[in-house]
Amino acid sequence: MLKTCRRWPEWVGRATQVWAVLYGALAVYWTAGGRTGFPVANLQGDAPGGVTGGTAIALLLVTGCVAAVMSARSTSRIAVLGLVFATATAGVGTFGLVLSGVGIVASGTIERPFAMVTQLAALGGAVLLFATAQAQSRRRRDRCPRCGGHHPLPLRPTAPLSRPARRPSSTRSRRTSYVLLLGLLPWATVKTIWIVGGSALGVTSSEWRSTMDRSDQSELTRLLETVGIDITVLAALAGACLVVALLHTYRFPRWLLLLPALTAAASLTLYGVPLVIWGSLTLTGVAPAAGDPGPFTASGLAWMVVFGGLAFGGLGGALAISARSYLRRTRPICAPTGWRDGRLGLRLG
């Protein structure tokens, strides 16, 4: 099993093509109008923009799968770009995965179980596509497809990896990540005020609670509320702790931090940025206000949308930057010492 994992550049392209064919068939079903398990939708399964928006998103997913099938075994520049595009479309398929996870903890139930399965499938595809794009890009530059290094002699594909020496994240990465995390403050402050019984944005605590169905809340959510903690704020705090860990630690297995960080970064950014745009356009009068904003006023709801977008988008951006820093700082390299080259019979190192 370990040797199979070490040989991942040899099989990841085929695995990516198999995934793309299977997921592409599902995307074709969505293009034809099916909505069972559609990943980018609300709790009722409705896609943004209605039928037109859902069809456009499904076509995007189909296009990404086609690009993956055609590009996975090629090292050309166009093929590598196609793999990057396909990775991005798979990221779109993970939309809402993190929020669905928080919703499960908050309510104790899975609202759209098949949609979560398809989101997890998109996550698996994004991992395969990312690895394939990385391997093919390295081959194109005559680098080792596994570690990205330039070996003077070819190594066995099952050679062990050497972990790099510890080094801190750059000052720019830390500062940018922490600035983006400040986007959590307005949203978290408003939610906390409501939890402890205060009023914010023209809405009292009782009015805010009246919009929530307590029968849909888990025991953990109710318990946290009794001590003045909103579970979504707690989840955001966990995300902020993950950012700090990525910027400062080396003590965890590499992908134990990277996989949740990259998944959350894609999901939260895709969710947060449109909210900031929509709320800002509403505040400036460019976009119409919601039909029934109650218990908010029209401007109060617009501000809450902006605050939510800043929180989700800011946390997603901070996770993306810190994960990129961690990915580059902790990238292992092939360790040839003690291994024989299969072709030349020479001991390297």
Side-chain angles (χ1 to χ4, degrees), residues 36-40 93 95 97 100 112-121:
T36 302
F38 191 68
V40 187
F95 178 86
L97 180 58
S100 297
R112 300 179 64 221
F114 191 60
M116 174 160 280
V117 172
T118 62
Q119 290 168 350
L120 289 171

Side-chain angles (χ1 to χ4, degrees), residues 98-109 216:
V98 174
L99 298 177
S100 297
V102 175
I104 292 172
V105 177
S107 65
T109 59
D216 290 337

Side-chain angles (χ1 to χ4, degrees), residues 6-23:
R6 287 177 174 175
R7 302 176 75 103
W8 67 266
E10 297 180 358
W11 54 259
V12 70
R14 296 187 187 92
T16 296
Q17 288 179 317
V18 171
W19 171 87
V21 170
L22 296 176
Y23 193 83

